[in-house]
Amino acid sequence: NAGVMQNPRHLVRRRGQEARLRCSPMKGHSHVYWYRQLPEEGLKFMVYLQKENIIDESGMPKERFSAEFPKEGPSILRIQQVVRGDSAAYFCASSPGQGTYNSPLHFGNGTRLTVT
Amino acid sequence: AQTVTQSQPEMSVQEAETVTLSCTYDTSESDYYLFWYKQPPSRQMILVIRQEAYKQQNATENRFSVNFQKAAKSFSLKISDSQLGDAAMYFCAYWGGSQGNLIFGKGTKLSVKP
């Protein structure tokens, strides 16, 4: 059973470009979470999605950031008009139900975004 | 709002020795879950151990165990017989009933000396 797959592993964008980060959850998992990790920091929650629905986007910046988890295909985190401050590692995690003790989050290896 | 604090930015341990990583949290909830994740240089987040708040018994996973003190809101991780492969960042995380996501501390970087 393949784990959570994120791609690309590394992404370099110039200021003003768009960044698209992809996440395929583990098989059988319908809940997806996106987290951002700045250098020397822990992971910060961004958004929680189920298939075709955004459940909680309280950690998502109001502008330039969006996320989707369509019925078919991977979850996408999209950052428009990137700025240097967007440089970070972005992690996706999935779970079969809402993450709890019995349904802990399984993380991908992250995408490191560098904005030049 | 819930917060998680890891007061040790870096720790070091001799191979085969025991080390304890500290974690405290702040919450007004009575039902919640606590986790320790390991992040090696590969960047992957690996679940090490988890604890349910209503269980008084401390969780144990092989060489890893926790000291959960609910009244003190403390959740420390003990690594016994440390191995070189234990070198990594360790993150303490909280999951409460009122929010649907994990809250992480800033992490402790553990070095293991041969």
Side-chain angles (χ1 to χ4, degrees):
Chain A
N1 190 7
V4 178
M5 304 300 292
Q6 287 189 251
N7 67 82
R9 185 130 170 86
H10 302 277
L11 181 62
V12 179
R13 284 288 178 266
R14 283 196 288 269
R15 277 180 298 170
Q17 290 185 321
E18 178 180 287
R20 280 185 177 238
L21 289 62
R22 293 175 185 78
C23 169
S24 295
M26 286 181 69
K27 188 176 181 180
H29 288 194
S30 58
H31 297 243
V32 164
Y33 302 76
W34 285 94
Y35 286 79
R36 176 164 63 177
Q37 185 179 30
L38 295 170
E40 310 300 323
E41 295 280 328
L43 278 68
K44 292 279 197 298
F45 169 75
M46 298 182 74
V47 62
Y48 162 37
L49 310 101
Q50 291 181 37
K51 284 283 187 181
E52 299 184 278
N53 289 306
I54 296 175
I55 307 301
D56 180 358
E57 55 182 349
S58 59
M60 193 92 104
K62 292 288 184 282
E63 297 178 351
R64 302 188 298 107
F65 286 72
S66 62
E68 62 177 13
F69 188 18
K71 188 176 180 182
E72 302 290 337
S75 176
I76 305 287
L77 179 67
R78 182 181 176 206
I79 311 172
Q80 295 178 290
Q81 298 175 320
V82 296
V83 301
R84 287 220 173 102
D86 297 333
S87 296
Y90 291 82
F91 286 88
C92 171
S94 73
S95 63
Q98 185 178 5
T100 61
Y101 178 87
N102 291 321
S103 183
L105 302 190
H106 295 261
F107 283 84
N109 285 358
T111 292
R112 179 168 298 284
L113 172 65
T114 301
V115 180
T116 61
Chain B
Q2 294 84 7
T3 58
V4 176
T5 302
Q6 293 179 249
S7 59
Q8 306 153 316
E10 295 187 28
M11 291 284 284
S12 180
V13 63
Q14 205 72 32
E15 194 176 7
E17 298 289 305
T18 295
V19 64
T20 298
L21 308 184
S22 301
C23 173
T24 58
Y25 57 94
D26 188 23
T27 184
S28 57
E29 296 174 318
S30 58
D31 188 20
Y32 50 87
Y33 310 95
L34 296 162
F35 303 83
W36 278 97
Y37 279 86
K38 169 185 178 182
Q39 187 180 43
S42 67
R43 212 167 61 209
Q44 186 182 6
M45 293 290 287
I46 302 165
L47 178 62
V48 174
I49 198 165
R50 47 186 161 165
Q51 174 84 38
E52 296 173 87
Y54 69 84
K55 284 190 176 177
Q56 291 187 334
Q57 187 173 5
N58 289 323
T60 300
E61 290 284 346
N62 301 314
R63 298 182 296 108
F64 298 87
S65 61
V66 298
N67 184 4
F68 174 48
Q69 302 287 330
K70 190 171 184 179
K73 295 178 183 174
S74 171
F75 183 60
S76 60
L77 175 70
K78 186 171 87 170
I79 306 174
S80 304
D81 186 25
S82 297
Q83 301 175 359
L84 295 177
D86 294 334
M89 285 290 290
Y90 285 82
F91 293 97
C92 179
Y94 170 101
W95 185 298
S98 64
Q99 92 279 352
N101 63 86
L102 279 171
I103 299 171
F104 285 87
K106 289 191 174 183
T108 296
K109 183 176 182 180
L110 178 66
S111 303
V112 180
K113 297 178 181 177

